[in-house]
Amino acid sequence: MKHIRNFCIIAHIDHGKSTLADRLLDFTGTVTERQKQDQLLDSMDLERERGITIKSHAIQMEYVHQGETYVLNLIDTPGHVDFSYEVSRSIAACEGALLVVDAAQSIQAQTISNLYLALENDLQIIPVLNKVDLPSANPEEVTDDIVDLLGCDPEEVIPASAKTGIGIQEILEAIIDRVPAPKGNVDEPLQALIFDSVYNPFRGVETYFRVINGEIKKGQKIKFLATGKTYFADEVGTLKLTQFPKQSIKSGDVGYLITGIKDAREVKVGDTITDAANPTQNMIEGFENVKPMVFAGIYPVDTEDYEELRGAMEKLQLNDASLVFAPESSAALGFGFRCGFLGMLHLEIIQERLEREFDMTVITTVPNVSYQAYTKKNPEEIIVVNNPSDLPDPSKLDRVEEPFIKASIITKADYVGPVMSLCIEKRGVITNQTYLTPERVELHFDMPLAEIVFDFYDRLKTVSKGYASFDYSPVGLRASKLVKVDILINANSVDALSALVHADNAYDIGKKMVEKLRELIPRQQFDIPIQAAIGAKIISRETVKALRKDVTAKCYGGDISRKRKLLEKQKKGKKRMRQVGNVEIPQQAFMAVLKLN
Ligand code: GDP
Ligand code: MG
């Protein structure tokens, strides 16, 4: 155990975490030339394309220091706020963290919130000043910022370039010198923390764990404490670029486990693995069941594809336990699913995976958060509202509560004004303002989650000319004055376009929605009225004017071959239109509410 170091890298997005990880693997000879491929840790195609790390992974390196071989376990953490619970579990599996700060960008909101997580877990922090090769780097100033933030000595900050290789050796030496070796007792009952899992279609779920006490042996009967289920450890081993099966993994070390589990939901990040015959009495602290934060309807473009969509969703859920879904139906869209996501990025990922991996074209409805409603008749009973159409009738409603968050925004002093205006517009209340340096300010707001789900982040980037970073954490539910705005197209209420909004903004949002829909809905041979309503009251109206010329609809002969049908389907997919009554509504219309200015 004396020769093990467990560490993670925390960084704001784009500050160089993945590049640095690659460089460490290179330097320690963990990758051969042949295996080299940029950003090795980001293995899913989607991750590499988007340049983000969606899921955390782990990798083991060896490094010889003063004649002794050390095992370094790098536990990668997801780089997006949607996955912050997973970040916290990865951090809990480590004794140290590299805090990577871009020498041109300095400290950003995500750096700080992950740093707090690391400090709460008593991690040894090694500050790394990355990208010193950049001409725009400000090494002195940014070092000062880091020193102020951590209260460390300037000498502790390691100047580095993950691109050119500057500082890589110093970082490895610092990991060995400064990060404490793991503590733990190999003779105690097994106690291991699950910090990640990966679905493998051939072998079942691979569980990544860190052993705190005891050891986990091949063939052992083990138990997961939170789920209460038992399994046999068919295979255990360590993770390099490929898996190395072993007879056992002992306390202090990191490894993978294969038990033949076929459903990702059985492996819960944060759960404790123990010995079934001689279980530990102590569950590892910090376990939580992850809860979806954002809900949206997903419908097949072609109603006939409902069963196919169900199959695809079930398969996705097998390897993404944080996706939840339940069947729902919409008068406008037919049969589909109400799905729960960790956040908007997660929603986009699922939508993309449905298309790429399952060739499904879907319509996604306006995302919303999860509300809790109470009726006058029974003011104690919680009614969970994951779909605006589930909101009880206003006349019966006692109150509605919505989730709030604590937002942390770091920006330049010049942009404090515009950032504050934006937050106030989004129903935010400022709770704290701290000057990190004379030019850099950290602002704290309490805000409704619903307001940031939509276009908040884009707006923030615009008002701050890109000089603002943002992070948030949930703070629970609070009562809000919410009303349901319905949209009628050609006098038909389109349930999939309903939105819950704050009463004070309802008129404004209703007006903007009908204006937006007028732009998006293609003209037809008749006038199409578009109205916004609260209950029976129409609050706004626009009209999509009829086409003057009679454009004959494309007609097909009697024999519609399979191929023709397929072509039709593809066309529909590309257009992503949905017929509602006698009006064709494009997919963008369902998301229109997200892009109102
Ligand atoms: P991550 O989001 O923290 O994982 O950041 P990446 O590792 O993906 O890096 C973001 C961008 O910064 C990429 O284009 C990298 O090539 C670049 N980058 C990373 N480290 C350095 C560095 O030390 N110097 C320079 N010039 N660019 C770097
Ligand atoms: Mg990355």
Side-chain angles (χ1 to χ4, degrees):
M1 234 173 355
K2 211 167 100 227
H3 290 103
I4 298 176
R5 297 292 181 272
N6 298 311
F7 71 105
C8 59
I9 306 178
I10 55 189
H12 192 73
I13 198 142
D14 279 346
H15 282 201
K17 186 178 68 170
S18 302
T19 314
L20 177 60
D22 287 348
R23 208 54 62 238
L24 295 174
L25 298 181
D26 256 354
F27 200 90
T28 53
T30 311
V31 270
T32 59
E33 275 308 309
R34 259 191 68 211
Q35 294 165 320
K36 226 182 255 175
Q37 196 179 5
D38 271 346
Q39 309 220 326
L40 284 162
L41 287 180
D42 304 346
S43 60
M44 220 196 291
D45 279 358
L46 217 66
E47 298 185 359
R48 205 170 285 143
E49 269 169 42
R50 286 170 176 249
I52 49 164
T53 310
I54 296 167
K55 294 275 291 173
S56 45
H57 303 272
I59 200 152
Q60 191 169 82
M61 299 171 253
E62 281 177 12
Y63 186 66
V64 181
H65 177 66
Q66 296 176 345
E68 301 197 40
T69 303
Y70 287 81
V71 168
L72 310 181
N73 291 308
L74 165 57
I75 297 175
D76 197 21
T77 53
H80 193 277
V81 60
D82 281 8
F83 305 97
S84 54
Y85 173 68
E86 291 184 12
V87 177
S88 84
R89 296 304 82 206
S90 298
I91 283 175
C94 301
E95 279 80 25
L98 300 178
L99 182 78
V100 175
V101 178
D102 184 317
Q105 301 276 320
S106 194
I107 295 151
Q108 303 290 338
Q110 217 182 1
T111 324
I112 295 199
S113 62
N114 287 347
L115 171 67
Y116 288 154
L117 281 177
L119 292 173
E120 274 167 31
N121 284 279
D122 292 326
L123 264 54
Q124 177 68 41
I125 310 293
I126 301 174
V128 174
L129 179 72
N130 191 34
K131 306 198 189 183
V132 291
D133 62 294
L134 281 180
S136 57
N138 258 325
E140 289 83 18
E141 233 174 84
V142 177
T143 301
D144 284 349
D145 291 353
I146 296 172
V147 167
D148 282 349
L149 179 69
L150 293 178
C152 64
D153 284 333
E155 296 74 49
E156 289 175 44
V157 181
I158 304 173
S161 166
K163 192 170 177 186
T164 66
I166 300 170
I168 301 302
Q169 185 169 1
E170 287 79 355
I171 292 171
L172 287 163
E173 308 266 317
I175 291 168
I176 289 162
D177 289 339
R178 299 191 212 166
V179 176
K183 295 190 194 76
N185 186 342
V186 75
D187 298 322
E188 279 182 31
L190 171 64
Q191 191 196 33
L193 168 68
I194 299 177
F195 62 83
D196 195 12
S197 70
V198 170
Y199 180 82
N200 180 321
F202 305 106
R203 313 185 73 194
V205 179
E206 295 166 4
T207 303
Y208 295 176
F209 61 83
R210 150 77 195 269
V211 185
I212 310 290
N213 288 303
E215 68 181 308
I216 182 164
K217 293 186 218 124
K218 182 179 161 66
Q220 185 179 3
K221 191 172 182 195
I222 50 165
K223 183 176 180 182
F224 289 3
L225 285 182
T227 62
K229 295 202 174 180
T230 55
Y231 308 93
F232 285 98
D234 296 338
E235 184 177 318
V236 295
T238 51
L239 295 145
K240 302 218 171 152
L241 267 194
T242 51
Q243 295 169 335
F244 282 75
K246 294 232 165 136
Q247 285 307 310
S248 99
I249 305 287
K250 293 189 167 64
S251 71
D253 214 346
V254 171
Y256 73 91
L257 162 73
I258 290 172
T259 56
I261 296 173
K262 294 289 180 206
D263 184 341
R265 282 172 294 179
E266 288 181 37
V267 182
K268 295 193 182 292
V269 168
D271 199 352
T272 303
I273 309 173
T274 193
D275 183 57
N278 179 24
T280 175
Q281 295 310 307
N282 306 315
M283 189 157 168
I284 296 162
E285 276 175 39
F287 173 74
E288 275 173 39
N289 268 306
V290 280
K291 279 211 251 29
M293 303 282 272
V294 175
F295 294 82
I298 291 192
Y299 290 83
V301 162
D302 204 323
T303 44
E304 286 166 23
D305 294 339
Y306 174 74
E307 282 305 325
E308 210 180 311
L309 177 60
R310 177 202 295 280
M313 300 286 293
E314 278 167 359
K315 285 205 186 102
L316 278 181
Q317 195 174 47
L318 287 180
N319 64 42
D320 182 348
S322 43
L323 169 70
V324 298
F325 67 92
E328 74 169 3
S329 62
S330 145
L333 298 176
F335 292 102
F337 300 95
R338 176 83 359 191
C339 306
F341 308 95
L342 297 175
M344 287 299 280
L345 176 71
H346 189 212
L347 183 160
E348 283 174 39
I349 290 168
I350 295 295
Q351 198 179 330
E352 253 180 80
R353 291 188 65 192
L354 280 170
E355 307 210 333
R356 288 186 193 202
E357 295 167 32
F358 299 94
D359 204 20
M360 295 288 319
T361 320
V362 294
I363 285 191
T364 309
T365 65
V366 184
N368 56 265
V369 299
S370 181
Y371 299 92
Q372 290 189 358
Y374 301 83
T375 55
K376 286 177 189 139
K377 201 169 146 213
N378 198 349
E380 300 307 315
E381 189 198 352
I382 298 170
I383 301 168
V384 176
V385 178
N386 290 339
N387 181 341
S389 30
D390 296 341
L391 190 74
D393 189 80
S395 60
K396 301 197 177 109
L397 205 57
D398 180 57
R399 63 189 193 280
V400 188
E401 292 174 350
E402 65 175 325
F404 269 67
I405 53 145
K406 179 183 148 108
S408 154
I409 295 169
I410 296 177
T411 189
K412 287 191 173 174
D414 296 352
Y415 301 112
V416 168
V419 168
M420 278 205 193
S421 310
L422 173 66
C423 291
I424 290 163
E425 180 197 320
K426 297 287 184 184
R427 300 192 278 140
V429 174
I430 187 159
T431 56
N432 196 11
Q433 177 177 10
T434 319
Y435 277 80
L436 300 172
T437 67
E439 288 88 43
R440 298 164 57 74
V441 187
E442 184 178 14
L443 301 168
H444 283 157
F445 288 90
D446 278 357
M447 289 171 85
L449 174 67
E451 298 287 348
I452 61 137
V453 165
F454 297 164
D455 61 347
F456 181 76
Y457 196 47
D458 290 340
R459 294 275 309 278
L460 180 67
K461 279 193 272 190
T462 312
V463 301
S464 65
K465 306 217 161 43
Y467 289 108
S469 63
F470 170 63
D471 198 29
Y472 69 87
S473 53
V475 291
L477 290 144
R478 292 183 194 170
S480 273
K481 257 174 67 191
L482 296 165
V483 294
K484 181 156 73 88
V485 176
D486 294 317
I487 299 293
L488 291 86
I489 294 182
N490 209 12
N492 294 316
S493 171
V494 181
D495 55 356
L497 287 171
S498 295
L500 287 189
V501 301
H502 193 261
D504 294 348
N505 303 333
Y507 279 84
D508 189 42
I509 289 176
K511 183 164 179 289
K512 285 177 176 160
M513 274 185 79
V514 295
E515 283 168 4
K516 190 87 188 179
L517 288 168
R518 191 201 53 198
E519 288 168 26
L520 291 172
I521 292 176
R523 296 215 254 162
Q524 305 202 11
Q525 284 144 24
F526 46 89
D527 278 2
I528 307 168
I530 300 171
Q531 297 161 303
I534 299 174
K537 193 167 155 208
I538 303 294
I539 56 172
S540 192
R541 176 192 164 118
E542 292 280 336
T543 306
V544 178
K545 284 286 180 201
L547 283 171
R548 259 171 296 150
K549 256 198 240 151
D550 182 19
V551 182
T552 331
K554 300 147 260 167
C555 54
Y556 300 103
D559 116 277
I560 297 181
S561 65
R562 229 180 109 71
K563 197 168 172 198
R564 162 75 57 77
K565 235 184 184 164
L566 216 70
L567 281 173
E568 265 303 278
K569 195 170 140 186
Q570 281 170 356
K571 203 184 318 163
K572 235 188 255 170
K574 273 196 202 100
K575 284 200 303 181
R576 235 186 248 268
M577 289 280 194
R578 198 53 191 269
Q579 188 87 21
V580 177
N582 52 355
V583 180
E584 284 206 316
I585 305 180
Q587 155 82 65
Q588 302 103 286
F590 294 99
M591 304 293 268
V593 70
L594 305 189
K595 305 274 175 212
L596 303 174
N597 296 315

